[in-house]
Amino acid sequence: MDPKYQRVLAPKLQEHANSYQLTDVSFRSFEMVWAWQRQTASDTVHAVTALLDMTTAKQLAANDDAKDRFWRAWGALSVEHASSELKQGLELSKKLQQGILNAGGLIVSRRLGSASVGGHQMWNLSHQDISNKEMLTTPIALAKLGWFLMDARQHQSGRHKDVIMISPPDQDKMCLVLGVVRQPTLGSRKGNTLGTAFRSAAADTEAQVEDHGFDSSVMRISADDVQRFTMMLWQKLIAK
C-alpha cells in the first residue's frame, strides 16, 4: 500500500466505524523486523491459523493430513521459512474471509437452512447449494461463519440468539455440528452448554458421531443422520 494511504487509513477507519456499527476495528499489535522484511503479530496469527485449518487443492491431492498442516504452520514461525509459508497462510486467510462474506451474505439474504430451535438460531447447510462448501467443513471457518450470521441477525432484529451451525458434508460424508454462543462476561458461570445437548441428541438417535478435539460444542456427524439428529435436538432444546 502506498505510504500516504497507510498514514490516513487508521484515522479514517476510526472516523467512520461508528456509522457502520463496527467495533474494535483497530487494535494495538507489535511487529518483528528482520533484514528488509517485517511481520505483524496479528498477521502471523491469521496466517498460522489458516495453515492449520485449511487445505489447498494441491495439498488435498497429495493427501496432506493434520500432521502435515501442523508442521507447515510450525515452519511458518521460523525466520528461515517465514517468508514463503506466511505468505501462503495470509493468502489462505484472505480467501477464507472472502468466502465467509460471500457465503454469509447469500445465507442471510435467502435464509438458507434457517430455523428457530428452542431459543437458538440453527443454520443447517448440510443440503444447501452454496459456494465455498469445502472451506466451511473446518471448525474455525464454520465458527467464523456462525459469528457472522449471529451479528447479521442481531443487526436486523435487534435481538441476540446463540447459533447452531451444521456444515456441508466433507469428502467423508460427515458434517460438523458446532455451537456458537455469546462470549461469557467475566465471572459468568454459564459457558457453552450446547455440547451436552448435541451428544444427548446423537445418542438418542444412534447417529454415527466422531468427537472433534477438546471442545465439547464441536462434533462430526454422518450426513445421513443429520435430519434425525436435528429433530431430536429440537425436542431437547424445547424441553429445557
Side-chain angles (χ1 to χ4, degrees):
M1 181 183 292
D2 191 307
K4 70 178 181 181
Y5 295 126
Q6 286 184 353
R7 287 191 292 270
V8 300
L9 178 60
K12 285 296 182 181
L13 285 173
Q14 291 285 18
E15 179 183 346
H16 298 288
N18 289 335
S19 300
Y20 298 93
Q21 298 184 349
L22 296 174
T23 59
D24 301 324
V25 72
S26 63
F27 52 89
R28 293 183 179 274
S29 185
F30 58 89
E31 63 182 10
M32 180 173 67
V33 180
W34 71 101
W36 64 91
Q37 302 181 67
R38 59 179 59 202
Q39 182 72 33
T40 65
S42 55
D43 281 352
T44 301
V45 170
H46 285 297
V48 172
T49 300
L51 288 171
L52 282 170
D53 204 50
M54 295 181 64
T55 305
T56 64
K58 182 178 179 181
Q59 292 161 359
L60 196 61
N63 295 319
D64 273 16
D65 57 14
K67 183 162 58 172
D68 295 316
R69 294 197 299 273
F70 172 82
W71 287 115
R72 194 175 298 112
W74 178 272
L77 295 174
S78 66
V79 174
E80 302 84 43
H81 301 96
S83 179
S84 60
E85 295 287 5
L86 280 176
K87 183 177 180 180
Q88 182 190 27
L90 282 172
E91 291 303 315
L92 284 173
S93 181
K94 292 175 186 177
K95 184 179 179 182
L96 172 61
Q97 195 62 30
Q98 290 168 351
I100 288 172
L101 291 174
N102 291 337
L106 179 66
I107 291 167
V108 170
S109 64
R110 298 185 181 178
R111 297 192 62 81
L112 298 177
S114 175
S116 184
V117 181
H120 301 77
Q121 191 71 26
M122 178 184 289
W123 301 90
N124 182 358
L125 309 178
S126 60
H127 294 92
Q128 300 299 328
D129 184 18
I130 57 174
S131 59
N132 304 302
K133 284 184 179 182
E134 67 283 352
M135 284 187 187
L136 303 177
T137 58
T138 64
I140 291 177
L142 193 63
K144 286 184 175 182
L145 178 60
W147 281 110
F148 177 92
L149 296 173
M150 179 189 289
D151 289 344
R153 189 187 183 285
Q154 187 168 3
H155 179 71
Q156 289 178 340
S157 66
R159 294 176 297 173
H160 168 82
K161 276 190 175 184
D162 293 337
V163 169
I164 300 168
M165 300 295 301
I166 302 179
S167 77
D170 60 16
Q171 59 184 354
D172 298 322
K173 306 301 181 185
M174 301 290 286
C175 297
L176 271 179
V177 180
L178 182 146
V180 179
V181 301
R182 186 187 305 191
Q183 291 291 343
T185 57
L186 187 64
S188 172
R189 297 188 178 185
K190 183 179 179 181
N192 191 339
T193 60
L194 285 171
T196 303
F198 290 168
R199 274 150 185 75
S200 178
D204 287 355
T205 55
E206 298 182 353
Q208 181 185 346
V209 173
E210 295 178 8
D211 286 328
H212 203 291
F214 297 102
D215 190 343
S216 65
S217 63
V218 182
M219 63 187 292
R220 295 176 80 220
I221 185 170
S222 170
D224 294 334
D225 296 325
V226 166
Q227 185 174 1
R228 292 187 298 113
F229 168 81
T230 54
M231 291 293 293
M232 182 59 67
L233 180 63
W234 181 82
Q235 293 177 23
K236 291 186 175 297
L237 292 175
I238 287 292
K240 279 191 171 184

